[in-house]
């Protein structure tokens, strides 16, 4: 079952690949690609990869800035 988030307030303190895929509307594999990318705020503990709620929101806001024309 996929969790549906309707606001940032509903997000957990840490987001795993499944949470990221639900928020962004991408596949779980796409979320894992993000977690492995160098510009995404990933926290690694052993084999586990996740991001914090605050870092995720900051990353989304930075990506959402309009591009200069």
């Amino acid at each position: 079952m996929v969790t549906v988030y309707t606001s940032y307030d509903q997000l957990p303190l840490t987001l795993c690949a499944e949470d990221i895929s639900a928020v962004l509307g991408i596949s779980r594999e796409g979320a894992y690609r993000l977690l492995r990318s160098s510009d995404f705020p990933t926290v690694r503990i052993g084999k586990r990869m996740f991001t914090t709620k605050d870092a995720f929101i900051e990353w989304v806001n930075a990506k959402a800035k309009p591009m200069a024309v």
Side-chain angles (χ1 to χ4, degrees):
M1 181 175 182
V2 176
T3 303
V4 177
Y5 299 106
T6 58
S7 75
Y8 285 144
D9 293 333
Q10 295 174 334
L11 295 176
L13 291 177
T14 60
L15 288 82
C16 64
E18 289 78 14
D19 296 322
I20 294 166
S21 69
V23 172
L24 296 179
I26 60 175
S27 68
R28 196 173 86 172
E29 183 54 40
Y32 276 112
R33 280 195 298 272
L34 267 180
L35 286 164
R36 289 185 202 104
S37 70
S38 61
D39 73 329
F40 192 77
T42 303
V43 176
R44 289 178 171 86
I45 298 178
K47 293 182 179 182
R48 184 161 150 62
M49 295 186 296
F50 60 92
T51 189
T52 64
K53 174 182 177 175
D54 292 339
F56 177 76
I57 293 169
E58 188 175 311
W59 180 85
V60 168
N61 288 336
K63 294 294 181 185
K65 289 184 181 174
M67 297 175 63
V69 178

